[in-house]
Amino acid sequence: MTDSSRLWLQRAILLVAILAAWEACARLVSDRWISSPVAIAERLAQWMAGDLWYHMMITGTEIGAGLAIGIPLGVLTGMLLGRSKRMAAVFRPFIVLMNSLPIVALTPLLIMWFGLGMQPKIVLVAFVSFLLMFFNSFSGARAVDEELMDTLALMGASAKERFVKVVVPSCLTWTIAGLKNALPYALIAAVIGEMMLSRNGLGHLITRSAQQFDMTGIYTALFVLMVVGGLINEGTTQLENRLLRWRHLETRGR
Amino acid sequence: MSHLQLIRPEPATGATPARRRKISLDKVAVDFTTRGKTFRAVDDVTIEVPEMQFLALVGPSGCGKSTVLNMVAGLLAPSEGSVTYDGAPVEAANTRVGYMTQKDTLLPWRSVADNIGIAFELRCRKANAAERRERVAEMIDLVGLKGFERHFPAELSGGMRKRAALARMLIYEPETLLLDEPFAALDAQLRILMQQELLRLVERRQMTVILVTHDLEEAVLMADRVMVFTSGPGRIRTERDIPFERPRNAMELRFRPEFSAIHEELWSELKDEFAASVERERRAQ
């Protein structure tokens, strides 16, 4: 047996053990607070035949639209500001202040501004992802190796060419790191927005279940969120591996 | 030294006077400030390099040789004095020179081939894809990196990275080369080969060169003129024309008695500076 298949076997055993203990607890003691794996599986099947996809679509659209606004804006402004010493100095205190604000605390304000539909969640996701991408790209642009910039300048590269060929790729490490933060945060932002006030989305599934004191519903919604979050994480890791191969070679040591 | 007259009867002046002055540093001084303390890295340096001359600067490390190159490249302004290139003061990055710095400045996210070909992606040196591929392949062959085209810099040894950087600079054939210890990371055999290749190219393209090295043998083998720098602050201690023929065969030259004579003469100047620099470092600790 290879090392990796043994590892997976051990993980599977642990998972089965946890589920078995949970199920046993639910049956022998009470499933009032903890529901049970079987009940959750049944509910999941029921939802999948019903409106789960609709709610997922809503949350997915909010996240997608928010990221589509926040990421490019954040990356671009971060890189541009980071390259200008003056601008960086002027903006620094504001950036620090913005960074210390727990962004989800803006949710009530945004709901008042934009109402109950998808807009406040999109704005929230955009805001969160903008800030995270901005901070990372900003630091990345500050950390560009000036000798590489000089090298290209001597070859006759224009300021724009240097930006495209040196600043952007060397920021990529930072951008990807930002992305690895921003994507899970985008999910959090969207779900919190939905939990506060809304009629649909995965966050709404949780609040709806909670209002009906439906433990199984809460656990099922949490399970779905866990799977979605896991998929997002896996996606960014794959992207990172693909885009930053040179970086891994560097850090692995020579 | 009398035996030198065997080589060439008239005292060579490095280049014929008719040649245009390419690079000139006039009474240049450079001050650096670190941790509130100012120190002078280069002091009262005057250098004139005529077109097509190969000048070598030798001296212990930290004597300001690299600072001279930075000024000619336009990356550093002198604190005193002036630097001109083709008669015009150097004020911004000098795009007429190819500069190979001590640290290889390959872009870590680009493969060897993409690094070497980058000059042809720029608007000012644009070349079509086929031509670029061909030139890159030629260059890779020249510096002996065949088979490593798709490798990233992090996958190469220090010497290989140096060769890639050399190829990247040579590929667009700048009229002037500034070389800062270009062969330091190479093993002995490869260094000899690369020195010969570089000589061939420089002679064929009639390039002007300033080579910074602390390898005196390399300086005498390749250059038309050698300047010895003092250690901290860097001043010119002495300079000497190297009267060997062009084109030059560096492999054969190093075994000639005239070569040893010049080497010995310059070494007697240089060794005091090395001793002084070691002494200075010991005191600094």
Side-chain angles (χ1 to χ4, degrees), chain B residues 45-271:
Chain B
V45 165
T46 298
I47 302 174
E48 301 237 324
V49 190
E51 223 174 1
M52 295 186 278
Q53 187 177 65
F54 195 131
L55 170 68
L57 309 180
V58 294
S61 49
C63 72
K65 305 177 303 254
S66 308
T67 310
V68 169
L69 293 192
N70 277 333
M71 285 187 287
V72 177
L75 301 178
L76 177 76
S79 312
E80 289 167 25
S82 65
V83 181
T84 58
Y85 187 92
D86 268 348
V90 176
E91 273 154 357
N94 185 351
T95 59
R96 312 272 289 281
V97 305
Y99 187 4
M100 189 168 157
T101 51
Q102 213 162 350
K103 200 182 113 196
D104 63 83
T105 51
L106 298 171
L107 304 181
W109 50 85
R110 279 173 172 251
S111 68
V112 169
D114 288 345
N115 260 294
I116 293 175
I118 190 171
F120 293 140
E121 294 172 25
L122 305 177
R123 205 151 32 100
C124 57
R125 305 182 198 279
K126 202 91 182 165
N128 65 43
E131 187 187 339
R132 188 190 318 165
R133 255 198 312 278
E134 192 184 320
R135 297 281 300 278
V136 168
E138 265 175 42
M139 264 302 153
I140 283 180
D141 213 18
L142 180 74
V143 297
L145 284 175
K146 216 162 196 170
F148 293 94
E149 292 87 345
R150 307 256 49 97
H151 284 57
F152 287 108
E155 296 172 286
L156 304 180
S157 71
M160 290 161 101
R161 283 201 296 275
K162 273 285 201 212
R163 274 138 69 196
L166 186 66
R168 181 184 62 179
M169 178 191 66
L170 291 176
I171 198 166
Y172 60 91
E173 298 181 348
E175 57 178 32
T176 296
L177 303 183
L178 307 176
L179 307 170
D180 196 351
E181 305 274 8
F183 307 122
L186 305 188
D187 61 61
Q189 291 83 344
L190 194 62
R191 184 179 320 159
I192 294 171
L193 283 175
M194 297 292 297
Q195 284 167 346
Q196 186 57 52
E197 282 301 334
L198 185 69
L199 271 183
R200 223 165 45 97
L201 206 79
V202 164
E203 283 160 1
R204 200 176 59 209
R205 300 284 165 199
Q206 306 198 310
M207 293 166 169
T208 310
V209 183
I210 303 182
L211 167 74
V212 159
T213 178
H214 49 237
D215 180 351
L216 182 59
E217 184 180 272
E218 178 173 281
V220 178
L221 276 179
M222 302 184 76
D224 298 312
R225 188 157 62 116
V226 173
M227 286 183 162
V228 177
F229 268 60
T230 62
S231 62
R235 291 195 187 90
I236 298 166
R237 177 179 169 126
T238 185
E239 62 171 290
R240 192 193 194 297
D241 290 326
I242 309 296
F244 299 122
E245 71 286 345
R246 296 262 177 217
R248 216 178 256 188
N249 182 342
M251 308 214 190
E252 176 260 350
L253 183 59
R254 68 184 78 220
F255 302 111
R256 300 222 306 248
E258 310 94 285
F259 170 80
S260 315
I262 294 177
H263 185 276
E264 207 179 311
E265 178 196 325
L266 284 169
W267 175 245
S268 70
E269 299 274 351
L270 189 56
K271 69 173 190 282

Side-chain angles (χ1 to χ4, degrees), chain A:
Chain A
M1 190 186 271
T2 64
D3 201 42
S4 121
S5 54
R6 179 177 304 137
L7 187 62
W8 280 106
L9 184 72
Q10 286 163 344
R11 286 169 179 166
I13 291 170
L14 181 62
L15 178 68
V16 169
I18 291 172
L19 290 179
W22 185 356
E23 188 67 37
C25 239
R27 288 187 186 219
L28 299 176
V29 188
S30 151
D31 61 359
R32 189 165 172 209
W33 302 106
I34 59 173
S35 184
S36 90
V38 171
I40 293 169
E42 280 168 6
R43 180 64 62 85
L44 186 63
Q46 204 180 330
W47 280 5
M48 280 165 76
D51 61 357
L52 178 65
W53 305 117
Y54 165 72
H55 292 292
M56 270 177 109
M57 265 277 286
I58 295 287
T59 307
T61 310
E62 287 163 1
I63 293 176
L67 290 178
I69 300 167
I71 291 177
L73 267 180
V75 170
L76 210 65
T77 43
M79 280 184 192
L80 289 173
L81 277 191
R83 286 314 296 168
S84 152
K85 268 205 173 98
R86 186 81 223 155
M87 299 266 260
V90 171
F91 275 82
R92 181 168 305 272
F94 297 95
I95 291 167
V96 171
L97 273 179
M98 281 299 253
N99 200 15
S100 31
L101 178 74
I103 297 156
V104 287
L106 292 176
T107 319
L109 189 66
L110 292 175
I111 289 175
M112 284 192 274
W113 281 358
F114 295 101
L116 295 182
M118 292 207 283
Q119 293 101 308
K121 290 92 176 181
I122 293 175
V123 173
L124 192 65
V125 170
F127 204 63
V128 168
S129 56
F130 169 82
L131 283 178
L132 287 171
M133 296 314 283
F134 174 84
F135 296 133
N136 276 281
S137 304
F138 183 81
S139 317
R142 309 279 303 150
V144 170
D145 185 344
E146 295 304 325
E147 285 192 53
L148 300 185
M149 296 293 277
D150 288 343
T151 304
L152 271 264
L154 289 175
M155 283 183 194
S158 63
K160 194 179 130 218
E161 283 172 324
R162 271 177 285 158
F163 188 79
V164 172
K165 295 201 184 295
V166 182
V167 178
V168 172
S170 92
C171 279
L172 198 62
T173 331
W174 297 75
T175 307
I176 298 281
L179 215 54
K180 287 189 88 171
N181 268 327
L183 292 184
Y185 252 97
L187 179 65
I188 293 172
V191 168
I192 287 190
E194 288 164 354
M195 285 172 71
M196 279 210 189
L197 206 56
S198 75
R199 289 180 296 260
N200 41 36
L202 293 176
H204 171 70
L205 285 183
I206 293 183
T207 28
R208 185 183 72 186
S209 307
Q211 279 157 5
Q212 299 163 356
F213 219 78
D214 171 10
M215 281 297 162
T216 307
I218 294 180
Y219 281 108
T220 311
L222 288 177
F223 176 74
V224 171
L225 281 174
M226 196 167 73
V227 171
V228 171
L231 287 177
I232 288 176
N233 265 332
E234 186 55 28
T236 35
T237 307
Q238 295 284 340
L239 187 73
E240 184 189 22
N241 287 342
R242 177 180 286 231
L243 288 178
L244 296 183
R245 204 168 79 80
W246 61 271
R247 183 82 207 178
H248 292 300
L249 292 167
E250 239 174 25
T251 48
R252 205 183 296 149
R254 286 151 195 167

